[in-house]
Amino acid sequence: MKFTILRTKSDLEHWSNQGQGQELHFVPTMGCLHQGHKELIKAAKNFSEEQPSKVLVSIFVNPLQFGEGEDFKKYPRNLEKDCQTALEAGANAIWAPSLETIFPNGQENYFTIQAPYALKQSLCGANRRNHFDGVATIVLRLLNLVNPSHLFLGEKDWQQLVIIKQLIQELGLKVEVKSIATVRDKDGLAYSSRNEYLTIEERAKIITLSKLLLQESSQFQSDKTIDLNKLRSALENNGLRVEYLETVDYKSLAPVNYYESKLCLLAAAVHCGKTRLIDHIFLMNRKPIIAIDGPAGAGKSTVTKRFAKQLGLIYLDTGAMYRAVTWFLQEQKIDADNEKELIKALTNLKIDINLKDSGIQQVLLNGKDISKEIRSPRVTQEVSRIASKATVRQKLTAQQKLIGLKGGIVAEGRDIGSTVFPDAEIKIFLTASSKERAKRRANDLANQGFRVPNLKELESQIQERDKMDSAREIAPLKKAKDAKEIVTDGMTIEEVIETLTKIFREEIPEEVWPSN
Ligand code: PAF
């Protein structure tokens, strides 16, 4: 498709109607495109391999988001250069509407949006009073006119991103937001159109903002403390005027103490000469934890394993640990109902789970590889009974908590979200009808060379296990209050992973845990 510059509403409509069946990925900007915008455009272009799509970049210096005395008039404008940049990055068209195109009947005849007070009272909103109302009003108009499937926004403007996401959610707009991590120059300075204003001397000064924030971020990862007063003085000593330097909750944007928050935003706005720039880092107390619970045969293992690999997180299969104990007790002919014997048997039991590069999981019990043995129907039949024993659960839960101490884990089981990691950032309850699960179990057994019972028999075995898992007194199988349920009937593995990825991204910014 050739590159096009669109001006009017009918230009836009005509262009949108070409290439039926294509998704429209939209990157709204105010122009003066830089590397940050380029990454947004690239992400939009590469978003879906299977689905044909086209990328539209809008350039509109929105007067509504500038306050009195701000830089609306001198905001850098260079359409020709922007077209070149957008084209290079992979855009299919630029839309450069006038104010009249956005508001054909005159601005005064259109609704204006008021961003929620709670979201605009802190950070930039505290001093730029109507800024986010202006942003929200224009973004809504742009979305109405463009009607894209996906909207690409930078995490650099975190407060704007939070507000636009809520606007879309509250109004039930059918557009999905994709956010891209802040893009930085080699020296660490976050790309911004307003960097254009800086003289060489000012740029040398302002670099302290990013440098100190990035230093603070790596320092925080090791000692979990920050010193805001020291940071503020360091900025001021470098000739910068600090407008704000705050820690806020990364979702509600309400002020928080960093040590009381699992994930917060440390954000700053500084003035250097006449230029005002913003930057931020995220402070996360530990790496993310994802808890995936659900009944047998819901497809947990396959998706959890793949999802962990995709995100570079550790995969923890707690079911395999219960299977290992079951196998061990069967081998040693230990009566699990005899508490004394059970305690003794568990005392020196060491279970290690390794995930090889090939994706194959290795389960070691006191150093012996029992990966295949634990999948036998004999173990399957007894594992729920063994897993209902308090002694067994205590031992394995303690071990699992230890593995997850530093986070960075995707754990699957029955009680992960409710008991093992109740503070997991993401809780999923993965389930499917017993009929569907029986079909999957039959496939698994056949693939592993075991005898395959008929489907009816498998279904009733599954229902029996569900009953035992859900009815046991300790840590029963149940959906955690804050878990999101995914019913996987009729879904491919890829579709389940895609759903998980979406849920993950709603919680965890790209900057905190990049997609790849
Ligand atoms: O981030 C921007 O460039 C602007 O605020 C936006 C989203 C294009 C609205 O004018």
Side-chain angles (χ1 to χ4, degrees), residues 97-128:
S98 62
L99 189 63
E100 290 70 39
T101 300
I102 304 273
F103 297 113
N105 301 328
Q107 201 181 313
E108 63 285 3
N109 287 306
Y110 291 82
F111 278 101
T112 49
I113 300 286
Q114 295 255 334
Y117 175 73
L119 295 182
K120 66 179 176 187
Q121 63 168 341
S122 59
L123 310 179
C124 293
N127 287 301
R128 305 186 73 191

PDB file of all heavy atoms in Angstrom, residues 97-128:
ATOM      1  N   PRO A  97      -5.447  16.331  10.541  1.00  0.00           N
ATOM      2  CA  PRO A  97      -6.709  17.083  10.455  1.00  0.00           C
ATOM      3  C   PRO A  97      -6.543  18.504  10.980  1.00  0.00           C
ATOM      4  O   PRO A  97      -5.637  18.784  11.773  1.00  0.00           O
ATOM      5  CB  PRO A  97      -7.635  16.280  11.374  1.00  0.00           C
ATOM      6  CG  PRO A  97      -6.718  15.672  12.388  1.00  0.00           C
ATOM      7  CD  PRO A  97      -5.408  15.432  11.704  1.00  0.00           C
ATOM      8  N   SER A  98      -7.435  19.373  10.542  1.00  0.00           N
ATOM      9  CA  SER A  98      -7.490  20.722  11.120  1.00  0.00           C
ATOM     10  C   SER A  98      -8.470  20.671  12.303  1.00  0.00           C
ATOM     11  O   SER A  98      -9.191  19.669  12.472  1.00  0.00           O
ATOM     12  CB  SER A  98      -8.015  21.708  10.078  1.00  0.00           C
ATOM     13  OG  SER A  98      -9.337  21.317   9.739  1.00  0.00           O
ATOM     14  N   LEU A  99      -8.527  21.758  13.049  1.00  0.00           N
ATOM     15  CA  LEU A  99      -9.475  21.827  14.175  1.00  0.00           C
ATOM     16  C   LEU A  99     -10.911  21.678  13.652  1.00  0.00           C
ATOM     17  O   LEU A  99     -11.759  21.029  14.276  1.00  0.00           O
ATOM     18  CB  LEU A  99      -9.298  23.171  14.905  1.00  0.00           C
ATOM     19  CG  LEU A  99     -10.043  23.323  16.229  1.00  0.00           C
ATOM     20  CD1 LEU A  99      -9.548  22.317  17.262  1.00  0.00           C
ATOM     21  CD2 LEU A  99      -9.894  24.739  16.790  1.00  0.00           C
ATOM     22  N   GLU A 100     -11.149  22.215  12.433  1.00  0.00           N
ATOM     23  CA  GLU A 100     -12.498  22.152  11.830  1.00  0.00           C
ATOM     24  C   GLU A 100     -12.867  20.715  11.447  1.00  0.00           C
ATOM     25  O   GLU A 100     -14.033  20.353  11.463  1.00  0.00           O
ATOM     26  CB  GLU A 100     -12.587  23.045  10.572  1.00  0.00           C
ATOM     27  CG  GLU A 100     -12.552  24.543  10.851  1.00  0.00           C
ATOM     28  CD  GLU A 100     -11.178  25.013  11.329  1.00  0.00           C
ATOM     29  OE1 GLU A 100     -10.146  24.528  10.801  1.00  0.00           O
ATOM     30  OE2 GLU A 100     -11.138  25.845  12.252  1.00  0.00           O
ATOM     31  N   THR A 101     -11.862  19.935  11.087  1.00  0.00           N
ATOM     32  CA  THR A 101     -12.152  18.537  10.741  1.00  0.00           C
ATOM     33  C   THR A 101     -12.542  17.761  12.001  1.00  0.00           C
ATOM     34  O   THR A 101     -13.417  16.906  11.982  1.00  0.00           O
ATOM     35  CB  THR A 101     -10.923  17.888  10.055  1.00  0.00           C
ATOM     36  OG1 THR A 101     -10.658  18.627   8.886  1.00  0.00           O
ATOM     37  CG2 THR A 101     -11.157  16.439   9.715  1.00  0.00           C
ATOM     38  N   ILE A 102     -11.887  18.119  13.083  1.00  0.00           N
ATOM     39  CA  ILE A 102     -12.173  17.421  14.347  1.00  0.00           C
ATOM     40  C   ILE A 102     -13.544  17.868  14.885  1.00  0.00           C
ATOM     41  O   ILE A 102     -14.310  17.069  15.395  1.00  0.00           O
ATOM     42  CB  ILE A 102     -11.079  17.741  15.409  1.00  0.00           C
ATOM     43  CG1 ILE A 102      -9.692  17.392  14.884  1.00  0.00           C
ATOM     44  CG2 ILE A 102     -11.370  17.087  16.745  1.00  0.00           C
ATOM     45  CD1 ILE A 102      -9.229  15.999  15.077  1.00  0.00           C
ATOM     46  N   PHE A 103     -13.812  19.159  14.787  1.00  0.00           N
ATOM     47  CA  PHE A 103     -15.092  19.705  15.277  1.00  0.00           C
ATOM     48  C   PHE A 103     -15.798  20.434  14.122  1.00  0.00           C
ATOM     49  O   PHE A 103     -15.819  21.679  14.092  1.00  0.00           O
ATOM     50  CB  PHE A 103     -14.849  20.710  16.419  1.00  0.00           C
ATOM     51  CG  PHE A 103     -14.207  20.117  17.644  1.00  0.00           C
ATOM     52  CD1 PHE A 103     -12.917  20.495  18.014  1.00  0.00           C
ATOM     53  CD2 PHE A 103     -14.881  19.210  18.450  1.00  0.00           C
ATOM     54  CE1 PHE A 103     -12.322  19.969  19.156  1.00  0.00           C
ATOM     55  CE2 PHE A 103     -14.285  18.690  19.597  1.00  0.00           C
ATOM     56  CZ  PHE A 103     -13.013  19.063  19.943  1.00  0.00           C
ATOM     57  N   PRO A 104     -16.397  19.718  13.166  1.00  0.00           N
ATOM     58  CA  PRO A 104     -16.967  20.387  11.979  1.00  0.00           C
ATOM     59  C   PRO A 104     -18.025  21.438  12.319  1.00  0.00           C
ATOM     60  O   PRO A 104     -18.163  22.427  11.605  1.00  0.00           O
ATOM     61  CB  PRO A 104     -17.579  19.243  11.176  1.00  0.00           C
ATOM     62  CG  PRO A 104     -17.140  17.980  11.798  1.00  0.00           C
ATOM     63  CD  PRO A 104     -16.562  18.253  13.131  1.00  0.00           C
ATOM     64  N   ASN A 105     -18.764  21.257  13.407  1.00  0.00           N
ATOM     65  CA  ASN A 105     -19.810  22.235  13.734  1.00  0.00           C
ATOM     66  C   ASN A 105     -19.340  23.301  14.720  1.00  0.00           C
ATOM     67  O   ASN A 105     -20.150  23.996  15.326  1.00  0.00           O
ATOM     68  CB  ASN A 105     -21.033  21.531  14.325  1.00  0.00           C
ATOM     69  CG  ASN A 105     -21.601  20.515  13.368  1.00  0.00           C
ATOM     70  OD1 ASN A 105     -21.518  20.711  12.152  1.00  0.00           O
ATOM     71  ND2 ASN A 105     -22.124  19.425  13.890  1.00  0.00           N
ATOM     72  N   GLY A 106     -18.021  23.380  14.898  1.00  0.00           N
ATOM     73  CA  GLY A 106     -17.498  24.323  15.888  1.00  0.00           C
ATOM     74  C   GLY A 106     -17.376  23.615  17.229  1.00  0.00           C
ATOM     75  O   GLY A 106     -18.289  22.902  17.655  1.00  0.00           O
ATOM     76  N   GLN A 107     -16.240  23.851  17.849  1.00  0.00           N
ATOM     77  CA  GLN A 107     -15.899  23.154  19.100  1.00  0.00           C
ATOM     78  C   GLN A 107     -16.987  23.263  20.167  1.00  0.00           C
ATOM     79  O   GLN A 107     -17.255  22.328  20.913  1.00  0.00           O
ATOM     80  CB  GLN A 107     -14.613  23.781  19.618  1.00  0.00           C
ATOM     81  CG  GLN A 107     -13.841  22.959  20.569  1.00  0.00           C
ATOM     82  CD  GLN A 107     -12.624  23.747  21.002  1.00  0.00           C
ATOM     83  OE1 GLN A 107     -11.910  24.326  20.197  1.00  0.00           O
ATOM     84  NE2 GLN A 107     -12.385  23.776  22.297  1.00  0.00           N
ATOM     85  N   GLU A 108     -17.656  24.436  20.182  1.00  0.00           N
ATOM     86  CA  GLU A 108     -18.642  24.692  21.239  1.00  0.00           C
ATOM     87  C   GLU A 108     -19.883  23.804  21.121  1.00  0.00           C
ATOM     88  O   GLU A 108     -20.687  23.724  22.036  1.00  0.00           O
ATOM     89  CB  GLU A 108     -19.026  26.185  21.270  1.00  0.00           C
ATOM     90  CG  GLU A 108     -19.713  26.738  20.040  1.00  0.00           C
ATOM     91  CD  GLU A 108     -18.786  26.969  18.829  1.00  0.00           C
ATOM     92  OE1 GLU A 108     -17.588  26.652  18.917  1.00  0.00           O
ATOM     93  OE2 GLU A 108     -19.267  27.433  17.784  1.00  0.00           O
ATOM     94  N   ASN A 109     -20.015  23.089  20.000  1.00  0.00           N
ATOM     95  CA  ASN A 109     -21.193  22.226  19.817  1.00  0.00           C
ATOM     96  C   ASN A 109     -20.940  20.773  20.183  1.00  0.00           C
ATOM     97  O   ASN A 109     -21.755  19.903  19.884  1.00  0.00           O
ATOM     98  CB  ASN A 109     -21.680  22.309  18.372  1.00  0.00           C
ATOM     99  CG  ASN A 109     -22.351  23.640  18.119  1.00  0.00           C
ATOM    100  OD1 ASN A 109     -23.278  23.998  18.850  1.00  0.00           O
ATOM    101  ND2 ASN A 109     -21.863  24.380  17.157  1.00  0.00           N
ATOM    102  N   TYR A 110     -19.802  20.517  20.777  1.00  0.00           N
ATOM    103  CA  TYR A 110     -19.460  19.116  21.091  1.00  0.00           C
ATOM    104  C   TYR A 110     -19.300  18.917  22.599  1.00  0.00           C
ATOM    105  O   TYR A 110     -18.952  19.849  23.330  1.00  0.00           O
ATOM    106  CB  TYR A 110     -18.157  18.720  20.372  1.00  0.00           C
ATOM    107  CG  TYR A 110     -18.358  18.627  18.876  1.00  0.00           C
ATOM    108  CD1 TYR A 110     -18.331  19.771  18.083  1.00  0.00           C
ATOM    109  CD2 TYR A 110     -18.615  17.404  18.261  1.00  0.00           C
ATOM    110  CE1 TYR A 110     -18.538  19.701  16.713  1.00  0.00           C
ATOM    111  CE2 TYR A 110     -18.827  17.323  16.889  1.00  0.00           C
ATOM    112  CZ  TYR A 110     -18.791  18.473  16.123  1.00  0.00           C
ATOM    113  OH  TYR A 110     -19.002  18.395  14.779  1.00  0.00           O
ATOM    114  N   PHE A 111     -19.537  17.672  23.014  1.00  0.00           N
ATOM    115  CA  PHE A 111     -19.295  17.322  24.419  1.00  0.00           C
ATOM    116  C   PHE A 111     -17.813  17.482  24.741  1.00  0.00           C
ATOM    117  O   PHE A 111     -16.961  17.202  23.904  1.00  0.00           O
ATOM    118  CB  PHE A 111     -19.668  15.858  24.682  1.00  0.00           C
ATOM    119  CG  PHE A 111     -21.127  15.644  24.918  1.00  0.00           C
ATOM    120  CD1 PHE A 111     -21.947  15.156  23.913  1.00  0.00           C
ATOM    121  CD2 PHE A 111     -21.679  15.940  26.157  1.00  0.00           C
ATOM    122  CE1 PHE A 111     -23.296  14.958  24.136  1.00  0.00           C
ATOM    123  CE2 PHE A 111     -23.028  15.740  26.387  1.00  0.00           C
ATOM    124  CZ  PHE A 111     -23.846  15.251  25.376  1.00  0.00           C
ATOM    125  N   THR A 112     -17.537  17.914  25.946  1.00  0.00           N
ATOM    126  CA  THR A 112     -16.142  17.848  26.405  1.00  0.00           C
ATOM    127  C   THR A 112     -16.089  16.831  27.532  1.00  0.00           C
ATOM    128  O   THR A 112     -17.076  16.601  28.229  1.00  0.00           O
ATOM    129  CB  THR A 112     -15.640  19.211  26.932  1.00  0.00           C
ATOM    130  OG1 THR A 112     -16.617  19.703  27.837  1.00  0.00           O
ATOM    131  CG2 THR A 112     -15.412  20.201  25.825  1.00  0.00           C
ATOM    132  N   ILE A 113     -14.948  16.228  27.700  1.00  0.00           N
ATOM    133  CA  ILE A 113     -14.787  15.175  28.708  1.00  0.00           C
ATOM    134  C   ILE A 113     -14.047  15.756  29.913  1.00  0.00           C
ATOM    135  O   ILE A 113     -13.105  16.526  29.754  1.00  0.00           O
ATOM    136  CB  ILE A 113     -13.936  14.021  28.118  1.00  0.00           C
ATOM    137  CG1 ILE A 113     -14.596  13.422  26.882  1.00  0.00           C
ATOM    138  CG2 ILE A 113     -13.638  12.951  29.157  1.00  0.00           C
ATOM    139  CD1 ILE A 113     -15.781  12.562  27.141  1.00  0.00           C
ATOM    140  N   GLN A 114     -14.519  15.368  31.082  1.00  0.00           N
ATOM    141  CA  GLN A 114     -13.787  15.731  32.308  1.00  0.00           C
ATOM    142  C   GLN A 114     -13.109  14.463  32.804  1.00  0.00           C
ATOM    143  O   GLN A 114     -13.808  13.502  33.142  1.00  0.00           O
ATOM    144  CB  GLN A 114     -14.784  16.169  33.386  1.00  0.00           C
ATOM    145  CG  GLN A 114     -15.543  17.428  33.086  1.00  0.00           C
ATOM    146  CD  GLN A 114     -15.027  18.588  33.896  1.00  0.00           C
ATOM    147  OE1 GLN A 114     -14.471  18.383  34.971  1.00  0.00           O
ATOM    148  NE2 GLN A 114     -15.187  19.786  33.391  1.00  0.00           N
ATOM    149  N   ALA A 115     -11.793  14.459  32.842  1.00  0.00           N
ATOM    150  CA  ALA A 115     -11.096  13.283  33.370  1.00  0.00           C
ATOM    151  C   ALA A 115     -11.428  13.157  34.856  1.00  0.00           C
ATOM    152  O   ALA A 115     -11.671  14.167  35.523  1.00  0.00           O
ATOM    153  CB  ALA A 115      -9.608  13.452  33.156  1.00  0.00           C
ATOM    154  N   PRO A 116     -11.470  11.927  35.401  1.00  0.00           N
ATOM    155  CA  PRO A 116     -11.827  11.779  36.826  1.00  0.00           C
ATOM    156  C   PRO A 116     -10.867  12.573  37.718  1.00  0.00           C
ATOM    157  O   PRO A 116      -9.657  12.537  37.503  1.00  0.00           O
ATOM    158  CB  PRO A 116     -11.659  10.273  37.072  1.00  0.00           C
ATOM    159  CG  PRO A 116     -11.617   9.645  35.736  1.00  0.00           C
ATOM    160  CD  PRO A 116     -11.159  10.668  34.752  1.00  0.00           C
ATOM    161  N   TYR A 117     -11.463  13.246  38.691  1.00  0.00           N
ATOM    162  CA  TYR A 117     -10.669  14.084  39.589  1.00  0.00           C
ATOM    163  C   TYR A 117      -9.517  13.288  40.226  1.00  0.00           C
ATOM    164  O   TYR A 117      -8.382  13.742  40.286  1.00  0.00           O
ATOM    165  CB  TYR A 117     -11.583  14.670  40.679  1.00  0.00           C
ATOM    166  CG  TYR A 117     -10.830  15.455  41.714  1.00  0.00           C
ATOM    167  CD1 TYR A 117     -10.299  16.711  41.399  1.00  0.00           C
ATOM    168  CD2 TYR A 117     -10.604  14.924  42.988  1.00  0.00           C
ATOM    169  CE1 TYR A 117      -9.568  17.421  42.324  1.00  0.00           C
ATOM    170  CE2 TYR A 117      -9.877  15.638  43.931  1.00  0.00           C
ATOM    171  CZ  TYR A 117      -9.361  16.885  43.585  1.00  0.00           C
ATOM    172  OH  TYR A 117      -8.621  17.571  44.501  1.00  0.00           O
ATOM    173  N   ALA A 118      -9.849  12.055  40.653  1.00  0.00           N
ATOM    174  CA  ALA A 118      -8.842  11.242  41.355  1.00  0.00           C
ATOM    175  C   ALA A 118      -7.627  10.982  40.475  1.00  0.00           C
ATOM    176  O   ALA A 118      -6.507  10.860  40.973  1.00  0.00           O
ATOM    177  CB  ALA A 118      -9.463   9.915  41.793  1.00  0.00           C
ATOM    178  N   LEU A 119      -7.841  10.890  39.181  1.00  0.00           N
ATOM    179  CA  LEU A 119      -6.711  10.576  38.295  1.00  0.00           C
ATOM    180  C   LEU A 119      -5.945  11.813  37.843  1.00  0.00           C
ATOM    181  O   LEU A 119      -4.814  11.719  37.382  1.00  0.00           O
ATOM    182  CB  LEU A 119      -7.203   9.800  37.061  1.00  0.00           C
ATOM    183  CG  LEU A 119      -7.785   8.411  37.301  1.00  0.00           C
ATOM    184  CD1 LEU A 119      -8.189   7.755  35.986  1.00  0.00           C
ATOM    185  CD2 LEU A 119      -6.792   7.503  38.035  1.00  0.00           C
ATOM    186  N   LYS A 120      -6.587  12.972  37.928  1.00  0.00           N
ATOM    187  CA  LYS A 120      -5.881  14.161  37.413  1.00  0.00           C
ATOM    188  C   LYS A 120      -5.392  15.103  38.515  1.00  0.00           C
ATOM    189  O   LYS A 120      -4.790  16.119  38.225  1.00  0.00           O
ATOM    190  CB  LYS A 120      -6.745  14.904  36.398  1.00  0.00           C
ATOM    191  CG  LYS A 120      -7.997  15.536  36.961  1.00  0.00           C
ATOM    192  CD  LYS A 120      -8.777  16.267  35.882  1.00  0.00           C
ATOM    193  CE  LYS A 120     -10.076  16.806  36.447  1.00  0.00           C
ATOM    194  NZ  LYS A 120     -10.954  17.381  35.459  1.00  0.00           N
ATOM    195  N   GLN A 121      -5.652  14.744  39.780  1.00  0.00           N
ATOM    196  CA  GLN A 121      -5.266  15.683  40.846  1.00  0.00           C
ATOM    197  C   GLN A 121      -3.768  15.631  41.159  1.00  0.00           C
ATOM    198  O   GLN A 121      -3.226  16.558  41.729  1.00  0.00           O
ATOM    199  CB  GLN A 121      -6.066  15.382  42.109  1.00  0.00           C
ATOM    200  CG  GLN A 121      -5.751  14.007  42.644  1.00  0.00           C
ATOM    201  CD  GLN A 121      -6.294  13.762  44.031  1.00  0.00           C
ATOM    202  OE1 GLN A 121      -6.611  14.691  44.750  1.00  0.00           O
ATOM    203  NE2 GLN A 121      -6.389  12.512  44.400  1.00  0.00           N
ATOM    204  N   SER A 122      -3.105  14.503  40.795  1.00  0.00           N
ATOM    205  CA  SER A 122      -1.682  14.381  41.144  1.00  0.00           C
ATOM    206  C   SER A 122      -0.822  14.626  39.904  1.00  0.00           C
ATOM    207  O   SER A 122      -1.313  14.893  38.817  1.00  0.00           O
ATOM    208  CB  SER A 122      -1.415  12.980  41.698  1.00  0.00           C
ATOM    209  OG  SER A 122      -1.765  12.010  40.726  1.00  0.00           O
ATOM    210  N   LEU A 123       0.486  14.539  40.101  1.00  0.00           N
ATOM    211  CA  LEU A 123       1.476  14.619  39.016  1.00  0.00           C
ATOM    212  C   LEU A 123       1.192  15.819  38.085  1.00  0.00           C
ATOM    213  O   LEU A 123       0.954  16.909  38.559  1.00  0.00           O
ATOM    214  CB  LEU A 123       1.520  13.297  38.228  1.00  0.00           C
ATOM    215  CG  LEU A 123       1.651  11.999  39.059  1.00  0.00           C
ATOM    216  CD1 LEU A 123       1.649  10.784  38.142  1.00  0.00           C
ATOM    217  CD2 LEU A 123       2.878  11.997  39.926  1.00  0.00           C
ATOM    218  N   CYS A 124       1.161  15.577  36.778  1.00  0.00           N
ATOM    219  CA  CYS A 124       1.019  16.698  35.828  1.00  0.00           C
ATOM    220  C   CYS A 124      -0.305  17.428  35.988  1.00  0.00           C
ATOM    221  O   CYS A 124      -0.392  18.642  35.769  1.00  0.00           O
ATOM    222  CB  CYS A 124       1.123  16.189  34.392  1.00  0.00           C
ATOM    223  SG  CYS A 124       2.754  15.565  34.002  1.00  0.00           S
ATOM    224  N   GLY A 125      -1.351  16.669  36.368  1.00  0.00           N
ATOM    225  CA  GLY A 125      -2.687  17.259  36.476  1.00  0.00           C
ATOM    226  C   GLY A 125      -2.761  18.321  37.556  1.00  0.00           C
ATOM    227  O   GLY A 125      -3.595  19.246  37.469  1.00  0.00           O
ATOM    228  N   ALA A 126      -1.900  18.234  38.573  1.00  0.00           N
ATOM    229  CA  ALA A 126      -1.971  19.181  39.684  1.00  0.00           C
ATOM    230  C   ALA A 126      -1.679  20.607  39.215  1.00  0.00           C
ATOM    231  O   ALA A 126      -2.281  21.562  39.706  1.00  0.00           O
ATOM    232  CB  ALA A 126      -0.998  18.760  40.782  1.00  0.00           C
ATOM    233  N   ASN A 127      -0.750  20.745  38.265  1.00  0.00           N
ATOM    234  CA  ASN A 127      -0.399  22.086  37.790  1.00  0.00           C
ATOM    235  C   ASN A 127      -0.965  22.424  36.422  1.00  0.00           C
ATOM    236  O   ASN A 127      -1.112  23.586  36.089  1.00  0.00           O
ATOM    237  CB  ASN A 127       1.126  22.244  37.758  1.00  0.00           C
ATOM    238  CG  ASN A 127       1.674  22.378  39.156  1.00  0.00           C
ATOM    239  OD1 ASN A 127       1.292  23.304  39.872  1.00  0.00           O
ATOM    240  ND2 ASN A 127       2.492  21.429  39.555  1.00  0.00           N
ATOM    241  N   ARG A 128      -1.250  21.404  35.620  1.00  0.00           N
ATOM    242  CA  ARG A 128      -1.822  21.667  34.288  1.00  0.00           C
ATOM    243  C   ARG A 128      -3.316  21.352  34.409  1.00  0.00           C
ATOM    244  O   ARG A 128      -3.755  20.251  34.097  1.00  0.00           O
ATOM    245  CB  ARG A 128      -1.136  20.793  33.238  1.00  0.00           C
ATOM    246  CG  ARG A 128       0.371  20.956  33.219  1.00  0.00           C
ATOM    247  CD  ARG A 128       0.986  20.175  32.076  1.00  0.00           C
ATOM    248  NE  ARG A 128       0.724  20.810  30.781  1.00  0.00           N
ATOM    249  CZ  ARG A 128       0.973  20.223  29.602  1.00  0.00           C
ATOM    250  NH1 ARG A 128       1.473  18.993  29.571  1.00  0.00           N
ATOM    251  NH2 ARG A 128       0.717  20.836  28.464  1.00  0.00           N
TER     252      ARG A 128
END
